[in-house]
Amino acid sequence: FQAEDGIRDLVRSRGLGDVYKRQLTKHLFENISLRERQFETQSKMEELLSYAEEKGSLEIVLPDIHGDTVRLSDLKGKVVMLIFWSSRNAQSISSMINLQNIYNKYNHKGFEIYAISLDNNRTQWISAINFNEFKWINVSELSYPDSHADRMYNVTRLPTNFLLNKEGALVTRDIYGRTLEIWLDNLL
């Protein structure tokens, strides 16, 4: 790597102590690695958004809590929040609870939630849905960490959501509360 040689030359020319040299080199390489991962994630997201702008959302077909297959594309004509969550993730549960009032307010106007659980325990997943009374569409592969849906949408943290317009095109991501309501008021 040319960057490695440049850093070594810089450290040698400054006459820095060996410990400091190792710490500086380690820090610089960690920073480079972090920036490379951020760039890869951003590139994947830009590619996904570009594809979504051209084609609409990526198709997902998963079973619900009753075992019935639910296609994301069957919801065209509705504004859909696609949300990735897990019953083991407290922030996910909190986020989903906070969506309930918005869902109740806008569901009759054509708003739907397609909640994809990144779980691998069916009992725990269904218990979380029933206990918290999540009345929207709940689906899961029950194969986490080998889920395909989260990779299709480049999900790197939970919860993550995407808002799809009536045509099924992705219009924004990771919105909640009043910002979500403003989007819904404009899309419905």
Side-chain angles (χ1 to χ4, degrees):
F1 289 101
Q2 288 180 324
E4 275 183 45
D5 295 336
I7 291 171
R8 284 189 192 118
D9 291 343
L10 175 68
V11 170
R12 282 186 199 124
S13 70
R14 303 268 181 184
L16 302 174
D18 286 342
V19 173
Y20 183 74
K21 289 178 193 178
R22 283 192 297 274
Q23 289 175 342
L24 176 62
T25 302
K26 181 181 176 187
H27 173 73
L28 291 172
F29 283 117
E30 287 173 354
N31 194 14
I32 289 169
S33 296
L34 174 64
R35 288 177 189 234
E36 286 174 345
R37 285 192 307 276
Q38 289 172 336
F39 177 77
E40 281 181 27
T41 301
Q42 183 63 33
S43 295
K44 287 178 185 176
M45 193 62 214
E46 288 172 5
E47 183 179 327
L48 171 64
L49 289 172
S50 174
Y51 179 86
E53 287 172 4
E54 292 174 25
K55 309 276 186 191
S57 62
L58 303 171
E59 179 65 298
I60 296 176
V61 181
L62 294 173
D64 66 11
I65 62 172
H66 306 291
D68 299 324
T69 300
V70 183
R71 294 178 170 277
L72 180 60
S73 62
D74 288 345
L75 300 175
K76 278 193 179 166
K78 295 184 176 198
V79 173
V80 177
M81 172 170 281
L82 174 63
I83 185 164
F84 292 85
W85 71 291
S86 171
S87 64
R88 302 174 317 278
N89 180 280
Q91 191 173 357
S92 291
I93 298 290
S94 176
S95 173
M96 299 272 281
I97 289 170
N98 290 332
L99 282 172
Q100 288 176 317
N101 287 335
I102 293 173
Y103 181 75
N104 292 335
K105 180 178 177 181
Y106 290 94
N107 178 251
H108 73 281
K109 296 179 183 179
F111 174 57
E112 188 57 71
I113 296 175
Y114 189 93
I116 300 173
S117 173
L118 300 182
D119 278 297
N120 54 22
N121 182 310
R122 181 175 175 74
T123 303
Q124 188 174 359
W125 170 54
I126 292 175
S127 294
I129 292 167
N130 291 334
F131 180 80
N132 294 293
E133 300 180 359
F134 299 147
K135 303 294 183 194
W136 44 73
I137 298 169
N138 292 286
V139 297
S140 182
E141 294 172 271
L142 292 173
S143 61
Y144 188 77
D146 297 320
S147 171
H148 297 289
D150 65 324
R151 280 187 234 130
M152 286 173 49
Y153 279 83
N154 194 33
V155 174
T156 57
R157 61 184 160 73
L158 295 178
T160 294
N161 71 50
F162 299 88
L163 192 63
L164 312 176
N165 66 16
K166 290 180 180 182
E167 291 75 40
L170 191 152
V171 293
T172 190
R173 80 176 276 175
D174 292 329
I175 59 170
Y176 299 94
R178 184 68 188 130
T179 304
L180 174 58
E181 289 189 65
I182 291 168
W183 273 92
L184 292 173
D185 286 334
N186 287 296
L187 291 170
L188 294 172

